[in-house]
Amino acid sequence: MADQKIYRASTTAPVNIAVIKYWGKRDPSLNLPTNSSLSVTLSQSDLRTHTTASCSSTFEGPDTLLLNNAPQSLSTARSLACLKSLRALRSKLEDAESSLPKLSTYPLRLVSVNNFPTAAGLASSAAGFAALVRAIADLYELQQSPTELSLIARQGSGSACRSLLGGYVAWDHGTRDDGLDSRARLVAPKSHWSDMKALILVVSAAKKGVSSTTGMQTTVQTSSLFQTRTKEVVPKEMAEMEKAIKSKDFATFAKVTMRESNSFHATCLDTDPPIFYLNDVSRAAIKAVEELNEKAGRTIAAYTFDAGPNAVIYYLEADEDAVLKTFLPILRQKEGWGKMDTKIDGPGPA
Ligand code: 2P0
């Protein structure tokens, strides 16, 4: 009798927030970056995508994806690349073991839910593609390591490769044309520096004006600052950041994080036409961190901003009172501001 069973696997993938930013592709079709980047994986209970992947010979039509209850296209080149790679790995297993059900030939039904604003510069595509790849890999019972799967997630969205691993994660730009060395690498597990916390100031939950994919390629084509950034600035910052994480040196971690965020936004401004992700509220958050550190006489907080106005403030748990005391009054003054406190974490069930 034909296989009527519905096969299913669910997983969650967390958001990651870069302290060394990915901005620019050397190969847009494979999502190969011009520079390496490094991020901290945030807590899944606060910011994550939950995805269920199912497949069955009884399903009809093409593969489908629902995100927060809305149908999404899976026929984009990036989604197709992920699905093709995962099916190829499953197909290899099926070829080697003929008793396995031929899941690689069944239509897929993917259902994803984000517990945070989608496409507002909170790395939703990172968690989204990481969860999609992990869920299908689990459904297909693939044995590949998270680093190997990061090669697939990278093709969906560059930053997604970092969300396959927990803790402190680098994405090495790699030098190969086929991208096989452009993947995630664990710098340190979350247990190494587990008192790191992130406060997220949700300045705006609106969809961002310029998408990262479009914005970064305009920067590559038009910004002269970008050349110096990728060739000289980022390699030095990567080395200093890895050292700071390994030695748990918060002052250096914070200094490099803030410098990097500013370098990234400077190249956005140097793009033609200029890209503005920060707004007045973002700039108020920068000033508040500068004043907090000055008042404390040491560095207790670091700000960073991605492709949107929302601030992420990194700090150590011991300094939580001082950090919250600074930001809660600001949050109350500004209508519509929200906050999320989160710890660092890793992929897998929350
Ligand atoms: C990052 N961002 O490193 C940087 C900082 C935004 C600013 O990764 O085209 O959504 O899907 O590969 O991954 C945003 O880029 O871009 C991003 P695609 P992605 O987190």
Side-chain angles (χ1 to χ4, degrees):
M1 201 178 102
D3 179 15
Q4 304 270 307
K5 202 175 146 187
I6 296 175
Y7 298 85
R8 187 172 285 128
S10 292
T11 194
T12 58
V15 156
N16 69 74
I17 300 292
V19 289
I20 307 282
K21 308 293 189 188
Y22 152 50
W23 197 252
K25 299 173 203 268
R26 63 184 165 90
D27 180 334
S29 62
L30 286 175
N31 262 349
L32 302 179
T34 43
N35 60 261
S36 298
S37 55
L38 199 153
S39 60
V40 182
T41 304
L42 300 185
S43 166
Q44 303 212 76
S45 49
D46 300 315
L47 290 145
R48 51 130 184 88
T49 303
H50 181 278
T51 297
T52 298
S54 48
C55 69
S56 170
S57 66
T58 63
F59 292 166
E60 285 175 9
D63 302 328
T64 59
L65 166 64
L66 276 183
L67 172 61
N68 295 338
N69 269 327
Q72 308 287 316
S73 169
L74 277 177
S75 49
T76 58
R78 40 180 67 200
S79 298
L80 291 173
C82 291
L83 298 179
K84 190 175 161 198
S85 301
L86 291 160
R87 279 204 165 97
L89 292 172
R90 171 68 192 185
S91 179
K92 249 191 212 164
L93 292 181
E94 292 164 1
D95 289 347
E97 175 60 67
S98 60
S99 63
L100 284 177
K102 304 280 181 278
L103 303 194
S104 65
T105 63
Y106 299 169
L108 283 160
R109 297 284 174 267
L110 304 167
V111 179
S112 287
V113 179
N114 287 343
N115 64 346
F116 57 91
T118 298
L122 282 178
S124 56
S125 67
F129 273 104
L132 180 143
V133 168
R134 182 78 263 173
I136 299 174
D138 290 352
L139 175 72
Y140 288 171
E141 299 185 328
L142 303 181
Q143 299 307 310
Q144 274 69 20
S145 67
T147 288
E148 288 170 296
L149 292 178
S150 80
L151 287 166
I152 300 177
R154 188 205 73 224
Q155 296 177 62
S157 185
S159 52
C161 73
R162 300 187 309 240
S163 273
L164 262 308
L165 277 68
Y168 302 82
V169 183
W171 169 18
D172 295 315
H173 61 74
T175 52
R176 291 173 60 119
D177 288 343
D178 62 8
L180 288 177
D181 56 353
S182 184
R183 58 192 178 184
R185 169 173 56 86
L186 185 69
V187 172
K190 64 174 173 174
S191 56
H192 166 73
W193 204 2
S194 59
D195 54 339
M196 179 73 77
K197 290 200 73 177
L199 172 68
I200 297 159
L201 306 177
V202 185
V203 174
S204 165
K207 234 177 140 110
K208 57 196 172 199
V210 180
S211 82
S212 301
T213 308
T214 310
M216 66 174 77
Q217 285 321 86
T218 313
T219 301
V220 171
Q221 286 150 16
T222 62
S223 166
S224 52
L225 260 189
F226 176 77
Q227 305 305 327
T228 320
R229 171 174 163 74
T230 47
K231 290 196 182 90
E232 293 168 32
V233 178
V234 173
K236 267 193 223 142
E237 300 289 47
M238 273 297 284
E240 196 168 354
M241 180 57 86
E242 286 201 39
K243 210 167 124 203
I245 290 169
K246 285 188 174 130
S247 57
K248 297 203 273 184
D249 171 357
F250 186 80
T252 306
F253 171 90
K255 192 176 67 186
V256 178
T257 296
M258 294 187 279
R259 215 159 57 195
E260 236 312 289
S261 176
N262 292 331
S263 159
F264 156 54
H265 289 280
T267 56
C268 288
L269 193 60
D270 188 47
T271 299
D272 182 15
I275 305 168
F276 307 102
Y277 286 126
L278 306 186
N279 63 18
D280 284 351
V281 186
S282 321
R283 284 184 281 275
I286 293 178
K287 197 153 172 261
V289 169
E290 296 288 353
E291 284 171 5
L292 173 65
N293 288 337
E294 202 178 308
K295 213 168 81 191
R298 64 192 173 92
T299 311
I300 60 176
Y303 56 81
T304 189
F305 300 83
D306 281 347
N310 299 317
V312 177
I313 313 291
Y314 282 114
Y315 61 94
L316 297 179
E317 204 157 9
D319 291 317
E320 181 146 278
D321 284 353
V323 172
L324 293 186
K325 247 185 228 151
T326 298
F327 285 102
L328 289 185
I330 300 177
L331 286 170
R332 279 191 215 107
Q333 280 166 26
K334 314 265 174 191
E335 209 181 318
W337 275 45
K339 91 169 181 49
M340 288 181 255
D341 304 297
T342 177
K343 294 201 73 162
I344 63 165
D345 205 349

